[in-house]
Amino acid sequence: MNFKTLSVHAGHDPQAFLGAVMPPIFQTSTFAFKGVGEPGPYDYSRSGNPTRKALEDCLAALEGGVRGFAFATGMAAETTALMLLNASDRIIVHSDLYGGTYRLLTTVFQSKGIESEFVDLRDRDALKAALRQGAKAVWIETPTNPLMNLVDLQEVASLAKSYGALTICDNTFLSPYFQRPLELGVDIVLHSTTKYINGHSDVVGGALIAKDPELAERIGYLQNALGTCAGPFDCFLVLRGVRSLPVRMEEHNRNSLALAQWLEAHPKVEQVLHPGLESHPQHALALKQQTGFGGTFSFRAQADDAGIKRLLGAVKLWTLAESLGGVESLIEHPATMTHASVPAEVRNQMGITGNLIRLSVGLEDIRDLIADLEQALDQV
Ligand SMILES: *Cc1c(COP(=O)(O)O)cnc(C)c1O
């Protein structure tokens, strides 16, 4: 079946649940045994829950994996994936990525003996050199948050495979509607379902989807052993959100591209970082490995710190908040908000400058979104 059909139906069969068209919320911690040594299909909700299974099966179908796993947050999904590694293992990590991932690797896993080496994965020779020194895994994020740089998934996955390293791709920004890393050779896809998958800014959640049954088995073991799973009510909400993923993504994509084009022509804008623009240095790669550009991008305003503060204080329709991927439009300042956990020196090296602003373009009328940004840019 095709993607839009799977979004609406995958993971749930009404006949298995008394005809309920929507999957019921199994808000139960435990399940009755039929007798000693005779559990039913479920025994305890950390190990498995029917509402969670409906979401997990749906996500596996959308990403083209053998199994999906739902977690309490995106970070819980990341923690579980990193637990596939052992002390003294090395992981190669794209040098430009979500601030929380950077923090988890450098402050939590580093001290447990898992060494991260940050490499610009756009540089094939640098990746090769790092792989030659031995690595268990390669962590990819594309497009990157908030700089919108792309990594060639097919190239990195095949190179990593030739050195026996696993590849994990954070696919939060595009969702499987616009990018399917497993089809390009990646081993594990990760999501913060908090973002586009749920899409309504009312849940925090995460997911992992694996392509190989043996690897899926190991992730399932860790999900149960670590207890990082999502609760049934959150799973119900995320599944409710995912049913409309294709229509939301189409509209996010349309609005964000129109806004990026408008900003690019604005005199107070220095640079727009949007892979759908011809000015983006990796526009060709975006066209090759993505079927759309999503709804989140960044721009640099021609403004000093005070001007940026005035701009962010002047927006009325746009909400100043972290996160992305919801129906409402959000604006944020990476240097002091989402990426404040990255040291200033590293931030500047990456290009997360003080005049960089990230937009999560929602589903409002584009004319209202432009009008509000226009009056805010006038304050700069
Ligand atoms: C938000 C986010 C995460 C972390 O997810 P939480 O649900 O906030 O724990 C990881 N990766 C990316 C790209 C994100 O945007």
Side-chain angles (χ1 to χ4, degrees):
M1 269 187 285
N2 291 299
F3 193 96
K4 286 182 184 171
T5 310
L6 290 172
S7 305
V8 174
H9 294 285
H12 180 59
D13 171 13
Q15 295 315 326
F17 296 101
L18 305 171
V21 168
M22 283 297 142
I25 305 167
F26 282 82
Q27 196 70 39
T28 182
S29 59
T30 192
F31 297 83
F33 278 56
K34 293 182 183 119
V36 174
E38 288 180 82
Y42 295 92
D43 53 27
Y44 186 62
S45 276
R46 169 159 45 71
S47 316
N49 175 285
T51 316
R52 192 172 93 215
K53 180 145 192 338
L55 172 62
E56 292 178 333
D57 288 352
C58 180
L59 294 177
L62 295 183
E63 286 286 3
V66 291
R67 265 177 86 183
F69 302 91
F71 298 92
T73 63
M75 296 317 296
E78 294 196 11
T79 301
T80 307
L82 288 167
M83 286 291 188
L84 289 165
L85 304 179
N86 297 316
S88 83
D89 282 349
R90 282 174 77 246
I91 179 167
I92 296 169
V93 185
H94 188 42
S95 54
D96 157 17
L97 83 168
Y98 178 68
T101 309
Y102 180 88
R103 177 174 54 199
L104 181 68
L105 288 163
T106 55
T107 69
V108 180
F109 280 94
Q110 184 81 30
S111 65
K112 306 282 181 285
I114 290 162
E115 195 201 325
S116 311
E117 184 178 349
F118 293 89
V119 173
D120 185 341
L121 297 183
R122 290 171 300 175
D123 181 344
R124 193 182 158 88
D125 292 335
L127 172 61
K128 243 186 187 160
L131 283 166
R132 256 190 236 113
Q133 289 167 42
K136 277 280 156 62
V138 179
W139 188 287
I140 313 164
E141 191 178 312
T142 182
T144 60
N145 177 7
L147 295 168
M148 308 307 294
N149 290 317
L150 308 185
V151 173
D152 189 324
L153 288 170
Q154 204 155 24
E155 182 178 278
V156 171
S158 79
L159 200 55
K161 198 180 209 118
S162 69
Y163 284 86
L166 274 181
T167 42
I168 302 160
C169 177
D170 186 334
N171 200 26
T172 298
F173 262 45
L174 289 179
S175 90
Y177 185 65
F178 283 139
Q179 177 168 274
R180 270 180 299 284
L182 299 182
E183 288 171 5
L184 300 173
V186 165
D187 296 300
I188 300 172
V189 163
L190 179 138
H191 280 283
S192 166
T193 55
T194 311
K195 317 293 167 52
Y196 289 103
I197 298 271
N198 178 58
H200 293 75
S201 305
D202 50 12
V203 178
V204 286
L208 295 174
I209 300 101
K211 194 170 53 179
D212 168 65
E214 189 265 337
L215 188 56
E217 196 64 33
R218 286 168 64 200
I219 296 170
Y221 181 87
L222 287 171
Q223 183 193 41
N224 180 48
L226 295 167
T228 42
C229 60
F233 185 63
D234 283 356
C235 290
F236 170 83
L237 284 174
V238 175
L239 191 60
R240 178 180 148 136
V242 91
R243 297 307 192 200
S244 62
L245 181 70
V247 280
R248 284 187 288 105
M249 291 312 288
E250 287 290 351
E251 196 61 19
H252 283 301
N253 190 56
R254 215 178 347 258
N255 269 355
S256 111
L257 193 56
L259 195 66
Q261 284 161 345
W262 177 80
L263 281 168
E264 200 166 42
H266 196 286
K268 284 186 182 158
V269 173
E270 194 178 287
Q271 189 189 13
V272 181
L273 294 78
H274 188 300
L277 295 175
E278 275 172 30
S279 60
H280 191 283
Q282 294 171 296
H283 180 60
L285 176 58
L287 295 176
K288 185 183 101 176
Q289 72 181 9
Q290 308 172 188
T291 52
F293 313 105
T296 301
F297 70 97
S298 303
F299 70 98
R300 296 186 208 278
Q302 266 174 24
D304 56 12
D305 289 354
I308 293 292
K309 214 168 165 183
R310 279 198 302 278
L311 189 166
L312 294 172
V315 287
K316 295 187 181 81
L317 173 59
W318 293 80
T319 302
L320 180 65
E322 296 189 0
S323 198
L324 57 106
V327 293
E328 72 297 320
S329 288
L330 303 179
I331 188 166
E332 72 109 2
H333 187 223
T336 59
M337 295 169 68
T338 46
H339 290 66
S341 60
V342 180
E345 188 192 299
V346 179
R347 233 172 26 226
N348 284 323
Q349 214 177 315
M350 286 164 69
I352 304 176
T353 51
N355 67 343
L356 184 76
I357 291 173
R358 190 187 76 188
L359 302 174
S360 167
V361 187
L363 307 184
E364 301 93 338
D365 191 302
I366 186 67
R367 292 167 297 186
D368 298 327
L369 293 174
I370 287 179
D372 191 41
L373 262 192
E374 184 155 43
Q375 65 80 23
L377 277 164
D378 286 343
Q379 310 293 313
V380 166

